[in-house]
Amino acid sequence: MSTFNKGIEKVEVTLKWDPSPLGTPDNDLDIVAATYTADAPHGDPAYLVHFDSRSPDGTITLNRDSRTGQGFGFDEIMTLELDRLSETYTRVIVGVAIQQSEGRKVFGDIEGTAVRIREGYTVLAENDFAEVAGATAATVAEFLRDESGQWRIHATVRGFDTDPDGFASLMGR
């Protein structure tokens, strides 16, 4: 659990959406995390975690990946153990992308979308993507390591109109 002086240690990012109507293609949303090094905090990411994967050091893990939104509550879960992340990394961006395999879909086309970021039982941020309804992808949080080495969150939603691959290259710029 973080305190004002301690910073953020471990967070859980959860995502939910309603299944598509019967007879229509499934909606598939994905949580994506990009890590950036101190020498290139706004360049290309050092690595990405998405699509049922984990970081090379095991500090960022996509624990549950849903391709349909079926289930109760939050269907997709990513854990970020920021306190274990190497000091090489000073910035982590978390976003959500809509798979575009069945034609162009935007957040406004998908019912019941929501993202929640928690540390323990403390909710750090929540959003329903309403302000980016016309976007195909969005960043939802930026985690920054401050000068004392502690992690802080900047929760903001920024929409993009691109496919998941394009989003991965644009999300941290």
Side-chain angles (χ1 to χ4, degrees):
M1 201 59 118
S2 68
T3 65
F4 179 73
N5 294 327
K6 192 171 168 190
I8 297 170
E9 294 179 350
K10 181 179 179 180
V11 296
E12 181 179 82
V13 179
T14 56
L15 177 66
K16 72 175 184 170
W17 65 97
D18 292 343
S20 56
L22 191 61
T24 62
D26 289 333
N27 296 319
D28 183 6
L29 283 69
D30 290 302
I31 302 172
V32 180
T35 57
Y36 299 87
T37 59
D39 60 341
H42 297 280
D44 291 329
Y47 61 82
L48 295 170
V49 177
H50 56 86
F51 316 127
D52 204 21
S53 68
R54 60 180 258 175
S55 62
D57 60 3
T59 57
I60 302 175
T61 306
L62 186 59
N63 304 357
R64 189 180 330 156
D65 182 23
S66 173
R67 290 184 168 86
T68 63
Q70 292 178 329
F72 296 104
F74 289 88
D75 303 307
E76 195 149 312
I77 300 170
M78 180 177 279
T79 303
L80 294 87
E81 295 180 69
L82 298 168
D83 60 331
R84 290 187 44 233
L85 200 59
S86 167
E87 291 182 13
T88 305
Y89 305 106
T90 58
R91 185 171 180 240
V92 178
I93 303 289
V94 178
V96 174
I98 303 169
Q99 291 295 329
Q100 300 295 319
S101 60
E102 300 293 335
R104 186 174 186 278
K105 291 183 182 179
V106 296
F107 287 108
D109 295 333
I110 302 170
E111 296 292 322
T113 56
V115 64
R116 180 177 61 200
I117 302 169
R118 294 186 317 177
E119 183 178 31
Y121 294 105
T122 303
V123 175
L124 303 175
E126 291 182 306
N127 197 285
D128 64 2
F129 301 99
E131 69 260 34
V132 293
T136 60
T139 57
V140 296
E142 175 181 36
F143 295 93
L144 297 166
R145 192 185 302 259
D146 66 20
E147 46 297 325
S148 70
Q150 302 301 311
W151 287 95
R152 307 289 178 209
I153 185 173
H154 180 238
T156 183
V157 176
R158 185 173 139 214
F160 294 83
D161 189 10
T162 186
D163 63 17
D165 290 331
F167 176 58
S169 65
L170 293 172
M171 64 190 287
R173 300 200 188 277

